[in-house]
Amino acid sequence: MTTPQPGRHMAAEIAAQPSIFADLYDSRSTIAEVAAVIRERAPRFVLFAARGSSDHAAIYAKYLTEILLQLPAGLVSASTTTLYGAEPDLRDVLLVTVSQSGGSPDLLEVTASYRRRGALTVAVTNTASSPLNAAAELSVDVSAGVEHAVAATKTYSATLLALYLLIDAVRGGNGEAAASLGELAQVTLDQSAPTVDEAVRRYRFVDRVLTTGRGYSYATALEASLKLAETSYLAARAYSGADLLHGPVAAVDGETAVLAITSLGKGGDSIRDALDVVHQRGADVVAVGSASEKVGATLSIGIPETAEEVAPVLEILPVQRLAHGLALARGGDPDSPRGLNKVTRTR
């Protein structure tokens, strides 16, 4: 019997993302229909509910909402509903529940509860037949296809793109900034391969990784930390570039690996001073993004330039490849990290 090749599912799912982006962009009219309902209801506040990788996608969407829609936005603490039974007045509130599986009991309960109390509820999932879609008034399908690896890759990035297309359509946009992401994703995967391999060699024996980013890219730093922890079992911690100098930098030294997400735009510009400090403290810095060559770093992994608000869709691709490569180099199987299941059920 042939032994399955470790990491084959994760590798295939990373490689599938360019076509997924192109197809999702081409089907944006269905997302625009959901956006039209949201625009008509004119919410005054937007809340996001999510767990795990989906929570990082929700943080990205929070930035989009506050910047592109100029609406206040926040993240739901599910336990206030599921454990404490809180019942706030939710009129004029939009709740967007983000869940790749659509099967987490706490997110399902939050969505149903918020809908009963007056919120407009939207489910963003990769499973059109999920209980979450049935609980929400509206739904957006991220259309990434079945994901076999435990670590989310294509579902995460497709969720980012779906959220961008939704929020952009709410403001009356046509998704123009995302039009070429399918093509640019392929360029990113192809051109970053050699430097990702070098980063694998640099980080193979490291035990502690700090990830950082700011603005839209903060979500990528959070997801990078999770991917490195769950596939390679690294002690990884994510910080906003704004928070990095408020204490955490004291723990940075020559034994620290720093993965910095920095793309062209206000977020990338603002993180340069923090990266200069950690670089001067002797940390080994690998920078990922379209501005990676503009910061103090030992190794730069570039991606094509895009509008800043869609850069996270591309930024995560070489990070996924890095997590995959490190897991294999350290003797693991990123398709089946120890102790993890594809769907985590919490309440």
Side-chain angles (χ1 to χ4, degrees):
M1 174 180 271
T2 303
T3 302
Q5 182 180 0
R8 71 191 190 283
H9 290 311
M10 186 175 178
E13 287 158 4
I14 291 171
Q17 290 170 105
S19 62
I20 291 170
F21 297 167
D23 291 345
L24 187 55
Y25 178 78
D26 288 343
S27 64
R28 65 192 182 281
S29 60
T30 59
I31 297 177
E33 292 173 3
V34 175
V37 177
I38 295 172
R39 191 164 57 248
E40 182 180 354
R41 295 277 284 271
R44 290 294 305 137
F45 198 95
V46 183
L47 291 172
F48 294 92
R51 294 286 191 194
S53 287
S54 293
D55 194 47
H56 304 154
I59 289 172
Y60 166 68
K62 180 179 181 293
Y63 277 88
L64 290 173
T65 301
E66 292 177 344
I67 297 168
L68 303 187
L69 299 183
Q70 300 284 294
L71 288 177
L75 301 176
V76 169
S77 299
S79 63
T80 60
T81 295
T82 61
L83 300 183
Y84 296 97
E87 296 187 356
D89 182 350
L90 295 169
R91 289 171 294 181
D92 299 324
V93 169
L94 168 65
L95 174 74
V96 181
T97 306
V98 187
S99 172
Q100 292 146 15
S101 69
S104 183
D106 54 350
L107 298 181
L108 179 63
E109 186 174 341
V110 165
T111 303
S113 174
Y114 275 46
R115 185 175 181 179
R116 286 195 304 270
R117 287 183 277 124
L120 171 61
T121 53
V122 179
V124 178
T125 80
N126 191 46
T127 310
S129 60
S130 71
L132 181 60
N133 278 20
E137 184 174 342
L138 304 168
S139 63
V140 171
D141 186 354
V142 307
S143 304
V146 176
E147 193 169 55
H148 297 284
V150 171
T153 53
K154 64 178 184 177
T155 54
Y156 174 75
S157 58
T159 298
L160 295 184
L161 179 53
L163 287 166
Y164 169 74
L165 292 172
L166 175 66
I167 292 168
D168 180 64
V170 171
R171 68 167 175 171
N174 61 4
E176 182 180 2
S180 59
L181 286 181
E183 177 184 347
L184 294 179
Q186 191 62 60
V187 172
T188 298
L189 290 172
D190 292 344
Q191 293 187 353
S192 66
T195 44
V196 168
D197 290 343
E198 185 175 347
V200 169
R201 291 191 291 270
R202 297 188 70 87
Y203 281 4
R204 180 177 180 180
F205 298 109
V206 77
D207 292 319
R208 183 163 49 105
V209 178
L210 183 153
T211 66
T212 187
R214 196 168 186 200
Y216 295 112
S217 296
Y218 178 48
T220 310
L222 290 165
E223 179 64 7
S225 176
L226 175 60
K227 283 291 159 285
L228 293 172
E230 69 181 350
T231 60
S232 300
Y233 317 134
L234 291 170
R237 184 71 182 268
Y239 292 99
S240 161
D243 292 329
L244 185 57
L245 299 180
H246 289 262
V249 73
V252 174
D253 56 25
E255 301 298 315
T256 308
V258 176
L259 183 65
I261 312 301
T262 174
S263 287
L264 293 167
K266 294 179 180 179
D269 289 344
S270 69
I271 202 174
R272 291 181 190 175
D273 289 345
L275 294 182
D276 286 342
V277 171
V278 299
H279 193 60
Q280 290 165 10
R281 292 180 64 88
D284 191 284
V285 180
V286 173
V288 176
S290 57
S292 60
E293 295 185 354
K294 297 180 180 293
V295 300
T298 308
L299 182 65
S300 297
I301 303 175
I303 67 168
E305 181 179 354
T306 64
E308 185 179 5
E309 60 264 30
V310 297
V313 181
L314 299 182
E315 291 167 347
I316 196 60
L317 304 183
V319 174
Q320 293 170 347
R321 279 265 181 88
L322 175 61
H324 177 269
L326 279 174
L328 295 177
R330 294 162 69 92
D333 182 357
D335 285 347
S336 302
R338 63 192 183 206
L340 297 181
N341 296 307
K342 189 61 184 171
V343 179
T344 302
R345 299 185 179 278
T346 54
R347 183 176 186 279

